[in-house]
């Protein structure tokens, strides 16, 4: 049974919708023009949606349990969304030029542009909030959209572009998996392990980041393709302190079709 949005009750968007949101940097360098005072005075502040899950709460069993999915999506992701919206409303007043002319078009691409240009945000509190909660919004948008129900021997399709790129960058798909596992395990405390495309170097890379930081904060040319959330809220209810079991098992859930689509859209 498909899940619905806990906040709106609407049905699940297609993966095409999620891809459109997750392709963060396509327009990240095109900062919008400043609106007039009159325009700013009449417009409502931007509101980003909490996207509903593209599958049921139980769909990722036994790797990720139903209670964890509800907590992770309906509480944590929802909090990042709500707090980010409050920060964007403040930014609409203090630095309107950093947001789209039409605030109704504010979306994940706008947020990606902001988190890759944090130094442009003058208010320290707003800057910190957008770093933490804007990063959290983008990271969880990607996380939930690149998982799917468990498949045995889950791997990129033989002969696919993403398989070829993984082999070219890491030597083999298994070598890539081990490197991402190592990065995820070595992240001290809360954070993420990443597979991303470095557009400047034109190759796939893996890294880890603390808290809700993301490779796009380092460069708008970094395209995140898959992220492993190693905050304890992502696994602790079932795995307790066994991060390793969760990190290894999550590869059974990777939606390689979605990863492939995002990769091919940027190479």
């Amino acid at each position: 049974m498909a899940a619905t949005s806990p906040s709106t009750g609407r049905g699940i968007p297609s993966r095409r919708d999620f891809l459109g949101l997750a392709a963060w940097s396509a327009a990240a360098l095109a900062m919008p023009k400043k609106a007039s005072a009159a325009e700013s005075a009449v417009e409502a502040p931007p509101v980003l949606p909490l996207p509903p899950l593209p599958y049921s709460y139980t769909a990722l069993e036994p790797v990720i349990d139903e209670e964890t999915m509800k907590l992770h999506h309906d509480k944590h992701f929802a909090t990042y969304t709500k707090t980010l919206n409050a920060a964007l409303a403040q930014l609409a007043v203090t630095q309107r030029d950093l947001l789209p002319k039409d605030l109704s078009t504010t979306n994940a691409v706008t947020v990606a542009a902001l988190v890759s240009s944090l130094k442009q945000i003058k208010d320290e509190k707003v800057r910190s909030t957008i770093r933490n909660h804007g990063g959290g919004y983008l990271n969880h948008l990607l996380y939930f959209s690149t998982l799917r129900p468990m498949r045995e021997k889950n791997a990129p399709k033989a002969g696919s572009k993403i398989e070829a790129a993984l082999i070219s960058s890491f030597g083999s798909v298994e070598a890539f998996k081990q490197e991402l596992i190592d990065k995820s395990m070595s992240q001290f405390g809360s954070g993420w392990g990443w597979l991303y495309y470095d557009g400047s170097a034109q190759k796939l890379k893996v890294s880890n980041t603390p808290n809700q930081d993301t490779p796009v904060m380092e460069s708008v040319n970094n395209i995140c393709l898959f992220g492993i959330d190693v905050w304890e809220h992502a696994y602790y209810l079932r795995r307790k302190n066994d991060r390793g079991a969760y990190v290894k098992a999550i590869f059974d859930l990777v939606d390689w079709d979605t990863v492939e689509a995002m990769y091919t859209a940027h190479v």
Side-chain angles (χ1 to χ4, degrees), residues 2 26 28 40 42 59 112 152 186 250 252 262:
S40 299
V42 298
E152 292 186 8
S186 65
I250 203 168
D252 291 335
M262 287 191 293

Side-chain angles (χ1 to χ4, degrees), residues 60-250:
L60 305 185
E61 293 271 13
V63 177
I64 303 176
D65 59 285
E66 179 181 6
E67 187 177 2
T68 294
M69 290 299 295
K70 289 181 176 179
L71 176 70
H72 201 171
H73 179 273
D74 298 1
K75 301 299 183 182
H76 290 278
F77 193 7
T79 297
Y80 294 129
T81 304
K82 180 179 179 181
T83 310
L84 173 60
N85 277 322
L88 292 176
Q90 288 182 274
L91 197 65
V93 174
T94 60
Q95 285 184 272
R96 180 65 180 76
D97 56 303
L98 296 183
L99 292 170
K101 185 175 181 180
D102 178 2
L103 287 177
S104 68
T105 65
T106 301
N107 56 25
V109 172
T110 303
V111 180
L114 290 172
V115 301
S116 66
S117 306
L118 289 167
K119 291 181 180 180
Q120 294 186 33
I121 302 173
K122 297 175 182 178
D123 186 300
E124 183 178 353
K125 184 177 179 180
V126 173
R127 181 170 63 247
S128 177
T129 300
I130 290 178
R131 176 173 191 155
N132 294 326
H133 294 269
Y137 184 85
L138 294 173
N139 295 347
H140 286 84
L141 187 65
L142 182 72
Y143 178 79
F144 289 118
S145 65
T146 51
L147 299 178
R148 66 182 176 192
M150 182 177 175
R151 294 187 180 185
E152 292 186 8
K153 299 180 180 179
N154 189 37
K157 290 179 181 177
S160 65
K161 290 184 178 180
I162 191 65
E163 183 197 51
L166 289 169
I167 293 171
S168 175
S169 297
F170 303 102
S172 69
V173 174
E174 288 304 311
F176 146 70
K177 288 172 62 177
Q178 189 58 54
E179 191 166 338
L180 184 52
I181 288 170
D182 292 344
K183 287 290 185 182
S184 300
M185 291 301 296
S186 65
Q187 174 56 47
F188 180 76
S190 301
W192 292 76
W194 295 103
L195 169 67
Y196 69 96
Y197 176 68
D198 182 334
S200 298
Q202 296 188 339
K203 65 180 296 184
L204 295 178
K205 293 183 178 181
V206 298
S207 69
N208 54 17
T209 58
N211 302 317
Q212 294 298 344
D213 285 2
T214 163
V216 77
M217 291 178 180
E218 301 170 7
S219 171
V220 292
N221 293 318
N222 291 338
I223 311 301
C224 297
L225 301 175
F226 178 66
I228 301 179
D229 187 347
V230 294
W231 284 63
E232 287 188 341
H233 64 238
Y235 62 88
Y236 201 87
L237 290 179
R238 169 159 291 185
R239 307 285 180 176
K240 305 306 180 188
N241 64 337
D242 193 353
R243 179 190 287 188
Y246 157 75
V247 167
K248 292 175 183 177
I250 203 168

